[in-house]
């Protein structure tokens, strides 16, 4: 960051052809992959469908990708002659559902504890038990159909009450169908989440529970045949002891002496695994781990509440939290932990790129954040910081490019990208959207990945940011996991209860629309793990908000339960005020969950009325033009209804005038795919943005979409105009780190694995006419700070209810006679004591904001705004931008004059 602030050595690097690649598929958010893509990634289908970037784990880190597992499974089936699919569903203790049509079909359930079943001559052999199922004439019960709506039409068969279901779910299982003459028709495996939820849903303790003398370990594993815990001497030392656990109703537990604290352990789970059709002994971390060794090879048995893990005054941090009166006061700055300080020479070299960098109070990065905080910014959103797979925690294994040598290459050279690609699986950079374990900070960001450092330093980071006036948002990725199967170190949950935590299709294959290994929050214990994990971060790390990656792949009920659990936290009991913790996420509706096929999901439309925010692609696409997967040359800065409804909080009931003069609600105006433009019930439910980590940076977008000959000065004006539309919208503004200082990523949309070089927060565009100079960067930053100050100068820019917006916000340059390229938005407060409208602002009674996207000055008369005591906002009167100071208002005619590519704010001061 300091390179941008001082602008002493602006290094330029050309966008190469591969950096300009883009998918033609339409999408809501997100990006094309940087080329060439690393082997083993599978997020293109998800990204092209709707959404965002996604780096699932690389092949090197996760050799058992879903495809690899499928291939191994197929090989195993070929050798055994048994089934590899699972098309039948055991939905409750007594019901099995299968999509069979013949009413005379009879079904039998087969089980083998040692997984020795095989098919020969149309018959199943090697089973321990064979159970005839009774056909049911009724359809699926309502509660089952609600939970599994995609199998609503399946026929149901009853399991005899005499069957020991708890024992059977530990076996290799199959159902076979026979016709009325007893001839074999079909055979398939079973999906078990329904019956496991019905019989083993559990709300008691999980993980490690510490008392004065003992530690109790609890593991939910109802399909396991045996569970032991292996204790080790240190993060890489030898096995010390193996201890047997006992099972009660699907939960395995053991009590060990307190001296085990700070030892390392793994669970050894003996369980039938459908991916190999074998009973496997899986070594797995504790799903409720609160500490890990490097790369998660072992779980560290740690008491997260130990005083030795707390920074000074940690327990009093709630008293130091920056004030937050309303969620409508929030503004968010999205930041990658490594981007923040990897190149910051004002940070100790051993702390750069990690948690500790935020504790250097006089560093260039912290000085920059402090300026934003002083202007009104409230939240820093940190990209994933839990334990993910794609970066080695051991710094001694990292590889780096020689940046000094890359800087000497011609800006149009391909050699920089080739150098990055050659080490990108072994360098320290990745966004981190390939989760392994959710509940532990990432070791690569800590000074030491073993032991207490990651816990202490994460807490120090939150504390340091809070102390400069910024609350901390954690980016959580509950929609998918890095790996599955019984072997890889980055597979955890699927080792312990195979086939439960991951969502599968009707053939039994793992769904991959979210990248890979989609999780299934519709299952009770997945929902519980997500909520428990959120509480862990909220209580133990005092995190102030959560951003949900692909929130639409999570069930709405999970999000509602999460919100309720978090809101119940109190400072007296938990040391946290849960009412101040904000939730938001990506509400894209695609893949197997689209249109509520797996239950009511947390999509944009469904989340209306919940108070949970979702990213507003409507305002993004209106400002930028097109969408992230469309033609990159499609122009933005439109003045259409999409933008106006976005400025008005994206409310579904807000009424707008179309170009024909017709009045329409936001919900009656539609996007290209038929979705309503307005979908929120409250302004706190919309996250307004024009760029994010998985799109181009704002300056790159401007550079792509504007004419080649346009001067850098004009590009800077457009950059600021876009930011001002977000900053002055009703709703919650969201800014990508560096957009306020002309950051470029060489036009790379999907830079998740593009290394420090391409993600460095500094401009790198090839054409000299694109080259920002020091004065451009400082000017754009000054204007950004001004626009933040304007937002926080009046509560009228931060209305908290739909009724307030509907009552106070008006758009004036509308209908058939509108002047193209100009948006005029007024916000009215109570004018006097007799006014029925409540007074919100003690300083201003009227605010008028004009966005002039035209390349020329505009003079426009708005009769409804005549005879007011409007004047240019005092912050803009004193702005370093000479053009905005020329903005004027003529009261007698209601005439506003606004210079080219300028946002002008006029206020009526109270007497």
């Amino acid at each position: 960051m300091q390179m941008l602030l001082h602008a002493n050595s602006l290094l330029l690097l050309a966008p190469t052809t591969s950096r300009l690649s883009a998918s033609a598929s339409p999408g809501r958010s997100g990006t094309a992959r940087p080329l060439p893509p690393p082997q083993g990634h599978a997020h293109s289908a998800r990204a092209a469908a709707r959404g965002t970037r996604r780096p699932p784990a690389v092949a090197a880190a996760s050799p058992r990708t879903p495809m690899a597992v499928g291939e191994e499974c197929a090989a195993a089936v070929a050798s055994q002659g048994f089934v590899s699919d699972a098309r039948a569903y055991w939905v409750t203790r007594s019901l099995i559902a299968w999509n069979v049509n013949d009413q005379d079909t009879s079904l039998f359930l087969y089980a083998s504890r040692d997984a020795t079943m095989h098919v020969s001559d149309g018959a199943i052999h090697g089973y321990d038990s064979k159970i005839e199922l009774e056909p049911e004439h009724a359809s699926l019960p309502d509660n089952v159909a609600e939970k599994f709506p995609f199998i609503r039409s399946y026929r149901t068969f009853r399991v005899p009450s005499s069957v020991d279901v708890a024992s059977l779910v530990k076996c290799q299982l199959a159902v076979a169908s026979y016709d009325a003459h007893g001839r074999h028709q079909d055979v398939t495996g079973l999906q078990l989440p329904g019956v496991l939820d019905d019989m083993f849903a559990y709300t008691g303790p999980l993980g490690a529970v510490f008392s004065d003398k003992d530690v109790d370990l609890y593991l939910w594993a109802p399909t396991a045949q045996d569970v032991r815990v292996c204790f080790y001497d240190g993060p890489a030392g030898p096995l010390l002891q193996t201890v047997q656990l006992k099972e009660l109703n699907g939960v395995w537990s053991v009590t060990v002496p307190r001296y085990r604290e700070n030892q390392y352990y793994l669970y050894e789970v003996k369980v039938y695994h459908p991916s190999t059709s074998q009973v496997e002994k899986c070594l797995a971390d504790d799903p409720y781990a609160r500490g890990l060794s490097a790369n998660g090879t072992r779980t560290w048995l740690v008491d997260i509440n130990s005083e030795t893990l707390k920074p000074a005054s940690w327990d009093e941090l709630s008293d130091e939290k920056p004030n937050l009166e309303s969620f409508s006061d929030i503004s968010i700055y999205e930041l990658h932990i490594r981007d923040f300080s990897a190149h910051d020479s004002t940070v100790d070299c051993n702390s750069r790129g990690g948690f500790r960098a935020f504790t250097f109070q006089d560093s260039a990065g912290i000085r920059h954040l402090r300026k934003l905080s002083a202007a009104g910014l409230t939240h820093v959103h940190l990209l994933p910081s839990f334990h993910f797979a794609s970066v080695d925690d051991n710094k001694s294994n990292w590889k780096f490019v020689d940046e000094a040598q890359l800087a000497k290459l011609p800006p149009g050279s391909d050699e920089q990208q080739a150098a990055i690609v050659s080490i990108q699986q072994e360098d320290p950079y990745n966004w981190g959207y390939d989760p392994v374990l959710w509940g532990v900070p990432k070791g690569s960001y800590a000074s030491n990945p073993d032991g207490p450092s990651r816990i202490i330093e994460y807490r120090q980071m939150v504390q340091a940011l809070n102390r400069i006036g910024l609350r901390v948002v954690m980016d959580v990725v509950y929609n998918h996991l890095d790996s599955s199967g019984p072997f890889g170190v980055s597979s955890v949950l699927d080792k312990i209860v195979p086939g439960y935590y991951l969502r599968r299709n009707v053939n039994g294959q793992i769904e991959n629309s979210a990248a890979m290994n989609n999780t299934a929050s519709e299952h009770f214990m997945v929902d519980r793990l997500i909520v428990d994990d959120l509480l862990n971060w909220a209580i133990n790390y005092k995190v102030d908000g959560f951003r949900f990656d692909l929130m639409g792949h999570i069930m709405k009920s999970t999000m509602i339960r999460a919100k309720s659990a978090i809101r119940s936290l109190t400072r007296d009991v938990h040391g946290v005020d849960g009412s101040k913790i904000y939730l938001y996420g990506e509400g894209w509706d695609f893949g197997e969950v689209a249109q509520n096929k797996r239950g009511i999901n947390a999509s944009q439309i469904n989340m209306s009325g919940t108070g949970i925010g979702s990213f507003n692609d409507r305002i993004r696409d209106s400002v930028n033009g097109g969408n992230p997967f469309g033609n990159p040359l499609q122009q933005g800065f439109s003045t259409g209804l999409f933008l106006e409804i976005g400025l008005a909080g994206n409310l579904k009931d807000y009424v707008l005038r179309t170009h024909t003069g017709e009045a329409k609600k936001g919900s009656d105006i539609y996007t290209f795919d038929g979705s309503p433009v307005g979908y929120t019930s409250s302004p706190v439910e919309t996250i307004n943005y024009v760029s994010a980590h998985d799109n181009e940076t704002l300056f790159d977008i401007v550079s792509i979409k504007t004419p080649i000959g346009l001067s850098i000065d004009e590009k800077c004006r457009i950059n600021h105009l876009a930011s001002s539309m977000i900053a002055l919208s009703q709703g919650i503004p969201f800014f990508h780190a560096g957009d306020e200082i002309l950051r470029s990523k060489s036009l790379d949309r999907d830079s998740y694995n593009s290394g420090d070089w391409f993600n460095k927060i500094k401009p790198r565009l090839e054409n000299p006419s694109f080259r920002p100079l020091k004065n451009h960067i400082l000017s754009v930053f000054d204007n950004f700070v001004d626009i933040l100050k304007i937002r926080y100068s009046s509560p009228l820019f931060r209305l908290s209810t739909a009724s307030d917006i509907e009552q106070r916000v008006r758009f004036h340059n509308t209908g058939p006679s509108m002047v193209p390229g100009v948006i005029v938005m007024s916000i009215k407060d109570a004018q006097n004591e007799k006014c029925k409208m409540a007074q919100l602002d003690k300083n201003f009674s009227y605010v008028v904001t004009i966005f002039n996207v035209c390349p020329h000055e505009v003079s426009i008369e708005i009769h409804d705004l005549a005879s007011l005591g409007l004047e240019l906002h005092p912050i803009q009167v004193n702005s370093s931008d000479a053009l905005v100071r020329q903005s004027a208002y003529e009261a007698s005619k209601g005439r506003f004059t606004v210079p080219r590519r300028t946002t002008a704010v006029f206020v009526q001061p109270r007497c």
Side-chain angles (χ1 to χ4, degrees):
M1 261 187 190
Q2 77 282 1
M3 299 190 74
L4 281 163
L5 293 176
H6 301 303
N8 290 324
S9 56
L10 298 177
L11 181 63
L12 302 178
L13 183 66
T16 63
T17 302
S18 60
R19 292 274 161 191
L20 285 169
S21 63
S23 166
S25 303
R28 279 290 167 98
S29 162
T31 74
R33 168 193 305 285
L35 297 179
Q39 295 294 317
H41 287 253
H43 75 280
S44 57
R46 189 289 300 264
R50 192 62 110 181
T52 95
R53 93 284 90 185
R54 192 46 14 90
V58 298
S62 305
R64 288 181 176 263
T65 63
M67 183 174 291
V69 169
E71 290 168 352
E72 292 169 4
C73 188
V77 169
S79 65
Q80 298 176 29
F82 199 60
V83 294
S84 61
D85 58 22
R87 290 173 283 122
Y89 292 77
W90 200 335
V91 292
T92 69
R93 187 230 168 272
S94 58
L95 292 179
I96 288 175
W98 193 9
N99 191 23
V100 292
N101 296 320
D102 188 346
Q103 294 299 313
D104 294 327
T105 294
S106 57
L107 252 61
F108 286 84
L109 172 64
Y110 295 83
S112 169
R113 189 170 180 87
D114 296 327
T116 56
M117 285 195 289
H118 59 279
V119 178
S120 177
D121 298 326
I124 298 177
H125 302 274
Y127 55 85
D128 299 327
S129 58
K130 175 183 178 182
I131 301 159
E132 185 172 8
L133 305 177
E134 185 71 21
E136 287 278 296
H137 298 295
S139 57
L140 282 172
D142 290 343
N143 64 320
V144 175
E146 182 179 351
K147 183 168 184 172
F148 303 107
F150 61 102
I151 62 167
R152 187 182 297 271
S153 63
Y154 282 24
R155 285 190 63 198
T156 56
F157 297 82
R158 183 164 293 276
V159 179
S161 58
S162 58
V163 170
D164 184 357
V165 175
S167 295
L168 282 187
V169 296
K170 300 179 183 295
C171 299
Q172 178 189 40
L173 298 171
V175 288
S177 61
Y178 299 86
D179 65 17
H181 303 288
R183 291 189 292 260
H184 172 76
Q185 292 178 316
D186 198 0
V187 61
T188 190
L190 280 159
Q191 297 191 37
L192 302 181
V195 65
L196 297 183
D197 283 353
D198 188 36
M199 294 186 63
F200 302 107
Y202 172 73
T203 58
L206 287 171
V209 179
F210 288 79
S211 60
D212 290 341
K213 295 182 179 180
D214 300 315
V215 183
D216 296 317
L217 298 176
Y218 298 91
L219 181 72
W220 187 75
T223 62
Q225 297 180 5
D226 185 67
V227 177
R228 304 173 185 223
V229 59
C230 305
F231 288 101
Y232 298 90
D233 185 10
L239 178 68
L240 293 174
Q241 186 181 7
T242 299
V243 180
Q244 180 72 49
L245 277 72
K246 293 184 179 180
E247 182 188 16
L248 179 64
N249 297 329
V251 177
W252 298 78
S253 63
V254 68
T255 300
V256 298
R258 180 83 189 216
Y259 70 74
R260 293 286 187 193
E261 184 179 4
N262 295 322
Q263 291 184 354
Y264 289 80
Y265 68 100
L266 289 171
Y267 285 116
E268 181 188 82
V269 182
K270 182 181 179 184
V271 64
Y272 173 74
H273 209 292
S275 70
T276 61
S277 297
Q278 297 285 341
V279 174
E280 305 282 4
K281 280 191 176 180
C282 303
L283 281 174
D285 280 306
D286 190 333
Y288 278 73
R290 296 296 175 250
L292 291 170
S293 64
N295 296 318
T297 55
R298 294 172 182 173
T299 300
W300 185 41
L301 185 56
V302 60
D303 182 358
I304 196 71
N305 295 310
S306 170
E307 293 298 320
T308 63
L309 300 176
K310 297 177 181 179
S313 303
W314 175 250
D315 288 335
E316 290 75 49
L317 184 59
S318 288
D319 299 330
E320 300 181 54
K321 290 282 183 183
N323 184 48
L324 182 66
E325 293 185 3
S326 168
F327 287 156
S328 62
D329 292 330
I330 290 174
S331 54
I332 301 170
Y333 187 80
E334 182 197 43
L335 181 63
H336 183 258
I337 289 172
R338 189 162 179 84
D339 287 349
F340 175 68
S341 62
H343 292 92
D344 191 344
S345 60
T346 64
V347 172
D348 174 76
C349 60
N350 295 318
S351 300
R352 293 175 197 165
F355 300 136
R356 286 197 307 190
F358 292 88
T359 66
F360 287 77
Q361 291 297 298
D362 198 38
S363 70
I366 288 296
R367 290 199 304 269
H368 186 78
L369 290 181
R370 195 179 280 117
K371 289 178 182 177
L372 296 177
S373 173
L377 188 77
T378 65
H379 286 64
V380 168
H381 160 173
L382 299 175
L383 265 64
S385 50
F386 49 77
H387 177 54
F388 56 83
S390 50
V391 173
D392 194 328
D393 285 348
N394 294 305
K395 296 176 175 60
S396 60
N397 295 331
W398 291 352
K399 293 183 178 179
F400 296 90
V401 296
D402 187 337
E403 293 195 357
Q405 290 301 313
L406 294 189
K408 296 176 182 178
L409 294 169
S413 171
D414 289 338
E415 293 183 46
Q416 293 97 334
Q417 182 166 325
I420 297 298
V421 169
S422 70
I423 65 161
Q424 67 184 165
Q425 309 311 325
E426 300 168 275
D427 74 351
Y429 195 92
N430 200 286
W431 284 343
Y433 291 93
D434 47 356
V436 178
L437 277 169
W438 294 319
V440 183
K442 175 61 177 167
S444 66
Y445 293 140
S447 58
N448 184 347
D450 298 318
S453 295
R454 59 172 96 194
I455 297 172
I456 296 171
E457 290 168 11
Y458 199 104
R459 287 170 164 174
Q460 289 173 330
M461 174 181 66
V462 173
Q463 188 178 54
L465 285 167
N466 283 174
R467 284 176 172 173
I468 64 169
L470 295 169
R471 289 176 173 253
V472 178
V473 172
M474 184 179 188
D475 199 324
V476 288
V477 186
Y478 297 127
N479 60 83
H480 70 276
L481 292 167
D482 173 73
S483 188
S484 59
F487 304 118
V489 68
S490 63
S491 173
V492 176
L493 297 177
D494 196 48
K495 290 177 179 177
I496 294 170
V497 192
Y500 178 83
Y501 288 96
L502 302 180
R503 185 179 289 134
R504 293 190 283 172
N505 64 22
V506 293
N507 291 319
Q509 306 304 310
I510 296 170
E511 293 281 9
N512 292 322
S513 61
M516 58 195 301
N517 301 307
N518 294 6
T519 54
S521 69
E522 59 270 30
H523 302 160
F524 183 91
M525 296 301 288
V526 183
D527 170 279
R528 181 192 164 172
L529 179 55
I530 290 171
V531 175
D532 287 349
D533 189 68
L534 291 166
L535 293 175
N536 164 50
W537 290 103
I539 296 171
N540 295 325
Y541 292 94
K542 304 188 189 300
V543 168
D544 304 294
F546 297 95
R547 177 266 191 190
F548 291 78
D549 185 63
L550 290 191
M551 183 175 70
H553 270 57
I554 300 171
M555 293 298 108
K556 178 180 179 180
S557 58
T558 301
M559 295 301 302
I560 297 300
R561 210 168 73 80
K563 179 185 174 184
S564 176
I566 288 171
R567 291 296 294 270
S568 70
L569 302 178
T570 65
R571 290 171 62 179
D572 289 343
V573 177
H574 308 97
V576 173
D577 183 355
S579 69
K580 305 295 186 183
I581 296 176
Y582 180 60
L583 308 183
Y584 64 101
E586 295 179 304
W588 322 131
D589 189 39
F590 70 98
E592 76 280 1
V593 299
Q595 299 177 347
N596 302 320
K597 291 175 185 174
R598 293 295 181 120
I600 300 175
N601 63 323
S603 64
Q604 289 172 325
I605 305 299
N606 290 339
M607 297 307 285
S608 175
T610 64
I612 296 172
S614 63
F615 283 91
N616 180 0
D617 51 325
R618 280 66 158 167
I619 196 169
R620 179 201 67 194
D621 294 346
S622 297
V623 173
N624 292 342
N627 62 74
F629 287 102
N631 186 326
L633 300 181
Q634 286 179 316
Q635 299 299 296
F637 302 101
S638 65
T639 58
L641 299 179
F642 282 27
L643 185 47
E644 288 180 3
I645 192 65
L647 291 164
N650 226 57
L651 297 173
K652 61 184 179 181
D653 291 331
Y654 188 85
V655 177
L656 299 148
R657 287 184 68 206
T658 71
H659 66 286
T660 64
E662 181 184 5
K664 279 193 173 184
K665 288 184 178 180
S667 58
D668 294 331
I669 306 163
Y670 299 98
T671 67
F672 66 92
D673 64 355
S675 300
V677 172
Y679 59 83
T680 71
S681 298
S682 163
V684 302
E685 293 173 356
T686 180
I687 305 294
N688 297 322
Y689 75 117
V690 288
S691 70
H693 68 274
D694 53 359
N695 297 158
E696 291 96 343
T697 67
L698 178 55
F699 188 61
D700 279 350
I701 293 169
V702 172
S703 298
I704 291 170
K705 293 177 181 287
T706 52
I708 295 249
L710 192 67
S711 71
I712 185 63
D713 296 283
E714 294 305 299
K715 289 184 174 73
C716 290
R717 298 201 69 79
I718 294 171
N719 191 101
H720 177 63
L721 188 57
S723 293
S724 67
M725 288 180 174
I726 298 306
L728 301 180
S729 296
Q730 300 296 332
I732 294 175
F734 176 99
F735 307 102
H736 179 38
D739 281 351
E740 77 284 10
I741 42 179
L742 304 182
R743 179 186 185 182
S744 169
K745 295 191 296 185
S746 298
L747 310 185
D748 187 351
R749 293 177 176 178
D750 198 10
S751 63
Y752 73 91
N753 202 17
S754 299
D756 291 329
W757 174 262
F758 285 101
N759 285 285
K760 187 185 291 187
I761 304 183
K762 56 187 287 184
R764 302 183 196 91
L765 292 176
E766 178 180 25
N767 191 319
S769 69
F770 289 10
R771 181 186 300 234
L773 301 177
K774 177 179 179 179
N775 65 293
H776 294 122
I777 295 170
L778 295 178
S779 175
V780 167
F781 180 66
D782 286 345
N783 287 338
F784 184 83
V785 167
D786 282 352
I787 213 72
L788 273 181
K789 289 180 177 178
I790 289 173
R791 178 176 180 84
Y792 287 97
S793 70
S794 172
L796 297 178
F797 290 113
R798 310 186 309 278
L799 299 174
S800 60
T801 67
S803 61
D804 264 345
I805 293 175
E806 291 162 1
Q807 186 179 18
R808 299 168 187 265
V809 176
R810 292 290 179 270
F811 294 94
H812 299 276
N813 181 33
T814 60
S817 61
M818 66 177 289
V819 176
V822 182
I823 293 178
V824 181
M825 176 177 68
S826 69
I827 313 172
K828 185 178 182 180
D829 200 10
Q831 303 297 300
N832 51 56
E833 295 180 356
K834 296 180 180 180
C835 185
K836 295 180 180 179
M837 183 185 296
Q839 180 179 318
L840 302 178
D841 192 335
K842 64 180 181 180
N843 298 315
F844 306 132
S845 59
Y846 225 110
V847 173
V848 177
T849 304
I850 300 181
F851 304 99
N852 176 19
V853 305
C854 300
H856 52 79
E857 180 180 276
V858 166
S859 215
I860 184 171
E861 293 185 4
I862 308 294
H863 299 299
D864 289 346
L865 299 177
S867 302
L868 296 175
L870 294 171
E871 56 189 48
L872 191 63
H873 197 290
I875 289 173
Q876 291 190 321
V877 169
N878 297 304
S879 172
S880 60
D881 180 6
L883 272 183
V884 76
R885 296 200 304 266
Q886 297 174 20
S887 303
Y889 166 73
E890 186 179 343
S892 61
K893 297 181 180 180
R895 178 184 293 167
F896 296 87
T897 301
V898 179
R900 69 181 187 276
R901 298 186 171 112
T902 294
T903 297
V905 180
F906 298 88
V907 294
Q908 178 171 276
R910 293 192 182 277
C911 299

